[in-house]
Amino acid sequence: MFKTRITELLGIEYPIIQGGMLWVSCPELAAAVSNAGGLGVLTSARTPSIEAFRDDIRRTRSLTDKPFGVNLSLFPALNALPNEQYIDTLLEEGVPIVETSGNKTPEEYLPRFKEANVTVIHKCAASRHAQKAEQVGVDAVAVVGMENGGATGILNVGTFVLLPATVNLVSIPVIAGGGVADARGFLAALAMGAEGVVIGTRFMATCEAPTHQNFKDWLLRSSETDTMVVMRSIRNNHRVLISETAKKLADMEEKGATIQEIIPIIGGEQTAEVLREGDLEAGIGPAGQAVGLIDKVLSVQELFDEIIGGAKEVLAKLDRIAAS
């Protein structure tokens, strides 16, 4: 059940992909997702060195014999990411799947990926960007609506519209993200033409996620109205949990703060302190509106059981409705 072109393309049991989340997508989480039947994803940008990145890949492989992927960020960065070296390393280590994310396509890297038979998924926040990604030769696209945590794009289009609009434009498999956290969202995405889902926020509240208990507790007590979008002033919109720090950032932006002035708030090390150290006001805490659907911390396997089992129950209910 739930076999799609995505499960066939990636060699996974269920069309559920763990999003590449900076500071969160570690070997333990990625392996747990892959072992549960989905696709776990490591984040290359979380590693302080190429050696640490190689260690992450090898650690993941020691924890699962199932397929997993690596995220490469194509977003502008304060310090340029060594993506060429990341690619050298993942190809040397035989990683079969790459997820690229950002405001440009991975066109410059595709010849190397194709030569090595690496499957490439490009994640973006606009249907036209998905169409461009198909044109340059990616194997699948993931589109994330404005409900998404972290980078949301600047178009402010929700998943319920963005997803079918993208399905109408491209012929390659489409993966849906933004607001998906349970069986209902999973099944709704499939009903709208997606062949898989990408989940981020919900995985941050799992036992295997390296997020601090303070942050997990913050997720549990938050509702769907407890997020806000910041960094609009630099056209790098991010959805984060509402905090005094996030409100201070929004106020600084409204008053015309320069990027140099806001860097001490939005920097990666500050986000790491929020997520990994539990200092909730050290920076901004990324999370999507699906945070309002999280009421307990589960193991990854328990979450998969809930999503897949719940989706089967919803299908049975729809069958009864259709037959009435």
Side-chain angles (χ1 to χ4, degrees):
M1 184 173 266
F2 305 121
K3 300 301 181 186
T4 70
R5 285 190 294 172
I6 283 296
T7 59
E8 296 300 317
L9 179 67
L10 304 180
I12 57 179
E13 185 175 3
Y14 303 117
I16 298 173
I17 297 168
Q18 166 242 314
M21 298 171 283
L22 186 62
W23 311 122
V24 178
S25 298
C26 64
E28 289 73 19
L29 177 59
V33 172
S34 291
N35 284 334
L39 181 75
V41 175
L42 294 172
T43 300
S44 57
R46 72 181 285 272
T47 53
S49 67
I50 297 301
E51 291 73 20
F53 176 52
R54 191 185 302 275
D55 287 344
D56 267 8
I57 293 172
R58 292 181 176 179
R59 171 67 176 160
T60 306
R61 187 166 285 121
S62 74
L63 296 171
T64 184
D65 59 359
K66 305 292 180 61
F68 65 91
V70 164
N71 170 273
L72 290 175
S73 173
L74 305 183
F75 286 105
L78 298 175
N79 298 307
L81 294 170
N83 280 335
E84 290 284 0
Q85 291 177 273
Y86 288 147
I87 292 170
D88 290 342
T89 305
L90 70 87
L91 293 181
E92 290 167 5
E93 294 296 324
V95 174
I97 300 159
V98 167
E99 173 200 69
T100 59
S101 54
N103 53 7
K104 67 175 184 177
T105 72
E107 182 175 8
E108 64 185 293
Y109 305 123
L110 284 176
R112 297 190 67 193
F113 290 141
K114 294 297 183 182
E115 183 179 0
N117 294 316
V118 171
T119 299
V120 179
I121 303 166
H122 183 61
K123 184 164 65 178
C124 55
S127 59
R128 68 175 183 267
H129 297 158
Q131 187 177 39
K132 175 63 174 177
E134 178 182 36
Q135 290 169 355
V136 302
V138 304
D139 299 290
V141 289
V143 288
V144 293
M146 65 177 294
E147 302 95 327
N148 185 57
T152 66
I154 62 173
L155 299 181
N156 298 325
V157 180
T159 304
F160 251 61
V161 173
L162 176 61
L163 171 56
T166 303
V167 170
N168 289 344
L169 279 181
V170 303
S171 60
I172 56 177
V174 177
I175 301 158
V180 181
D182 60 15
R184 295 165 296 182
F186 169 69
L187 206 56
L190 296 184
M192 288 189 289
E195 299 194 49
V197 298
V198 57
I199 297 175
T201 301
R202 186 62 186 90
F203 279 125
M204 291 198 291
T206 56
C207 300
E208 293 87 348
T211 44
H212 194 278
Q213 189 61 47
N214 290 349
F215 187 79
K216 289 176 180 175
D217 290 341
W218 193 9
L219 295 174
L220 294 180
R221 65 176 179 264
S222 297
S223 76
E224 69 278 6
T225 61
D226 288 330
T227 69
M228 62 189 293
V229 177
V230 295
M231 298 166 60
R232 293 184 190 273
S233 65
I234 58 173
R235 296 179 64 80
N236 192 16
N237 297 10
H238 272 61
R239 185 174 296 283
V240 301
L241 290 165
I242 295 173
S243 65
E244 292 305 313
T245 302
K247 289 188 284 188
K248 175 185 176 182
L249 172 59
D251 183 62
M252 291 174 64
E253 291 189 83
E254 186 176 352
K255 293 176 178 176
T258 65
I259 187 169
Q260 288 76 20
E261 290 172 321
I262 65 175
I263 282 173
I265 297 177
I266 67 174
E269 292 303 319
Q270 286 75 24
T271 302
E273 287 189 44
V274 175
L275 294 171
R276 305 292 293 271
E277 305 302 324
D279 184 350
L280 304 184
E281 294 292 350
I284 50 178
Q289 291 177 326
V291 69
L293 303 176
I294 302 172
D295 59 6
K296 55 184 175 294
V297 174
L298 299 172
S299 71
V300 166
Q301 185 61 61
E302 288 171 332
L303 179 57
F304 267 73
D305 291 344
E306 277 201 358
I307 292 174
I308 300 303
K312 291 176 181 178
E313 291 177 4
V314 173
L315 279 177
K317 179 180 178 180
L318 292 175
D319 283 342
R320 292 193 296 270
I321 292 172
S324 62

